[in-house]
Amino acid sequence: DTAVSQTPKYLVTQMGNDKSIKCEQNLGHDTMYWYKQDSKKFLKIMFSYNNKELIINETVPNRFSPKSPDKAHLNLHINSLELGDSAVYFCASSQGARNTEAFFGQGTRLTVV
Amino acid sequence: GENVEQHPSTLSVQEGDSAVIKCTYSDSASNYFPWYKQELGKRPQLIIDIRSNVGEKKDQRIAVTLNKTAKHFSLHITETQPEDSAVYFCAASMGNFNKFYFGSGTKLNVKP
């Protein structure tokens, strides 16, 4: 009965590889997000989709490409991974895209070696 | 863009004492201010939020105050308990697509 679930929970990979993180929510929400939390715990938004349409695209390297096949899913693909990509990536969802609570997934800890 | 500053970065209190965490924001257009709690190794979870048309909101031991003129808002936790130990994040949003600007977090340690 997990509300927002991400896979995998841990991901260790070598520099230069391509990897994907998947996210699914069963809350019936229409808006989904990707956040990055760095080693200093700083949370920063990367992308947001509302009804499968991209509505927030922060200054993120174009090696990061989100994809939303439907309202319940938002995946993140990362090409040519770099050491600086190591972080915890959180998926989140909300009902509506203005001033509403965001429900976070459990996070994916990505380690690039 | 919006800039949210949060203080202190760490806070240690004795069980039963009160804890106060303060945030300032830069953009007067911000109108929604949520607070999230993140326990070690877990996901951030909303604990309370306030909108700009309200000056104070309370939920049991937790309260948030907002001063729009000074552009700052604060989280108050009374009668702290060990399970309150976590990292707390404030955030501000202008209502544009839930684009939250988070503070840098406060690690609260409640000593039994």
Side-chain angles (χ1 to χ4, degrees):
Chain A
D1 61 346
T2 304
V4 183
S5 60
Q6 300 175 224
T7 54
K9 191 172 181 181
Y10 300 98
L11 185 53
V12 181
T13 188
Q14 291 188 323
M15 276 195 307
N17 283 350
D18 303 339
K19 290 293 179 185
S20 292
I21 306 171
K22 295 186 177 183
C23 179
E24 175 182 6
Q25 54 94 4
N26 63 6
L27 296 166
H29 289 168
D30 59 5
T31 307
M32 296 185 72
Y33 314 80
W34 279 110
Y35 279 86
K36 178 181 180 180
Q37 187 170 46
D38 61 23
S39 58
K40 295 185 178 179
K41 300 294 186 184
F42 191 66
L43 266 168
K44 187 169 182 184
I45 192 165
M46 300 172 69
F47 302 103
S48 176
Y49 275 74
N50 175 253
N51 286 315
K52 302 195 298 174
E53 297 295 323
L54 181 67
I55 57 173
I56 295 176
N57 185 354
E58 286 297 275
T59 309
V60 176
N62 56 16
R63 297 182 295 104
F64 290 78
S65 53
K67 280 188 173 53
S68 182
D70 55 58
K71 287 196 300 183
H73 296 85
L74 179 61
N75 303 323
L76 183 65
H77 188 76
I78 315 170
N79 289 328
S80 304
L81 278 155
E82 300 177 358
L83 292 176
D85 297 332
S86 296
V88 179
Y89 292 84
F90 284 99
C91 174
S93 73
S94 68
Q95 180 51 39
R98 296 178 187 271
N99 296 349
T100 57
E101 178 181 357
F103 290 80
F104 284 81
Q106 80 276 21
T108 296
R109 182 175 292 278
L110 171 66
T111 304
V112 183
V113 298
Chain B
E2 174 63 278
N3 181 41
V4 177
E5 295 192 357
Q6 183 172 346
H7 301 278
S9 56
T10 59
L11 179 59
S12 191
V13 301
Q14 207 66 38
E15 183 178 359
D17 288 350
S18 294
V20 180
I21 302 170
K22 297 182 178 182
C23 289
T24 61
Y25 60 99
S26 59
D27 198 322
S28 56
S30 289
N31 57 11
Y32 176 62
F33 307 92
W35 285 88
Y36 282 81
K37 175 184 179 183
Q38 186 177 25
E39 296 176 9
L40 187 62
K42 297 195 174 179
R43 72 193 75 195
Q45 290 187 289
L46 180 76
I47 54 170
I48 196 166
D49 58 11
I50 192 167
R51 289 172 173 76
S52 58
N53 58 346
V54 175
E56 184 174 358
K57 185 176 178 181
K58 193 172 180 181
D59 183 4
Q60 299 182 338
R61 296 186 297 109
I62 295 173
V64 58
T65 58
L66 171 65
N67 183 326
K68 285 192 297 181
T69 304
K71 295 206 281 277
H72 67 69
F73 56 113
S74 301
L75 178 71
H76 305 253
I77 306 174
T78 58
E79 300 171 22
T80 53
Q81 301 166 3
E83 51 265 38
D84 294 330
S85 295
V87 178
Y88 291 80
F89 293 94
C90 64
S93 169
M94 289 173 242
N96 51 343
F97 306 120
N98 266 7
K99 190 173 178 179
F100 297 148
Y101 294 88
F102 280 92
S104 52
T106 296
K107 185 174 182 180
L108 174 64
N109 180 33
V110 180
K111 295 178 284 187

